[in-house]
Amino acid sequence: MTVKSSNNLQTIQAPADYFTGNAWLNMLVRNENIKCNVAKVTFEPKARNHWHTHPAGQVLIVTEGKGYVQKKGEPIQLLLQGDVVTILANEEHWHGATPDSMFTHIAIQLIADNGQEISWLTPVTDEEYYLFQTP
């Protein structure tokens, strides 16, 4: 068992190679002899990650703000505090903040048997990002 003090957790800026806009990563669990990594991810308004897949899937738990998630070929969905998203293996998707709100989620990334957890693809264009329509 491992217990980490919140005082010892580091926050880093998310890499521009995989994110549009400003976002921060706080790695909560990383390579700790279990089959998942866990991060707290915070996005500024309009910030989002690129299209990507997870070979073993991902779970998002929204903790603050308003965000979007989209599976390739489907409409953008609005996310609010308390929402939980289950992303199946190899589903192409993206997630990020709405234009008017910060957005924070806990991301639980399952690790595939070959050690992979994510495959980054292309950026989400402004045209794609602004396709959200209020239900």
Side-chain angles (χ1 to χ4, degrees), residues 17-81:
D17 291 347
Y18 309 121
F19 287 76
T20 299
N22 291 318
W24 295 270
L25 303 173
N26 186 291
M27 291 307 302
L28 305 175
V29 175
R30 181 100 179 135
N31 300 323
E32 296 181 23
N33 298 316
I34 60 172
K35 299 287 274 185
C36 72
N37 288 323
V38 181
K40 175 180 156 186
V41 186
T42 301
F43 300 83
E44 281 188 352
K46 300 181 189 172
R48 66 258 188 196
N49 53 29
H50 292 190
W51 288 102
H52 60 285
T53 63
H54 299 276
Q58 180 184 49
V59 175
L60 303 177
I61 304 166
V62 180
T63 59
E64 295 179 66
K66 295 187 304 184
Y68 293 149
V69 66
Q70 183 180 24
K71 178 181 171 181
K72 192 74 160 187
E74 295 185 3
I76 296 170
Q77 296 184 61
L78 180 65
L79 298 174
L80 302 173
Q81 184 175 349

Side-chain angles (χ1 to χ4, degrees), residues 4-5 8 25 27-29 47 50 54 57-58 66 75 86 92-94 98-99 101 103 110 117 123 133:
K4 294 180 186 177
S5 167
N8 295 327
L25 303 173
M27 291 307 302
L28 305 175
V29 175
H50 292 190
H54 299 276
Q58 180 184 49
K66 295 187 304 184
T86 301
E92 190 172 337
H93 69 286
W94 66 270
T98 64
S101 177
F103 175 60
L110 304 174
E117 66 177 290
Q133 296 181 6

Side-chain angles (χ1 to χ4, degrees), residues 78-135:
L78 180 65
L79 298 174
L80 302 173
Q81 184 175 349
D83 289 349
V84 178
V85 181
T86 301
I87 300 160
L88 299 179
N90 299 310
E91 286 186 329
E92 190 172 337
H93 69 286
W94 66 270
H95 31 100
T98 64
D100 63 346
S101 177
M102 298 282 289
F103 175 60
T104 301
H105 64 58
I106 301 296
I108 303 166
Q109 275 126 216
L110 304 174
I111 300 172
D113 290 337
N114 65 3
Q116 288 188 314
E117 66 177 290
I118 192 164
S119 294
W120 290 107
L121 304 168
T122 58
V124 175
T125 66
D126 285 347
E127 292 77 18
E128 291 171 315
Y129 176 79
Y130 287 104
L131 284 176
F132 176 75
Q133 296 181 6
T134 305

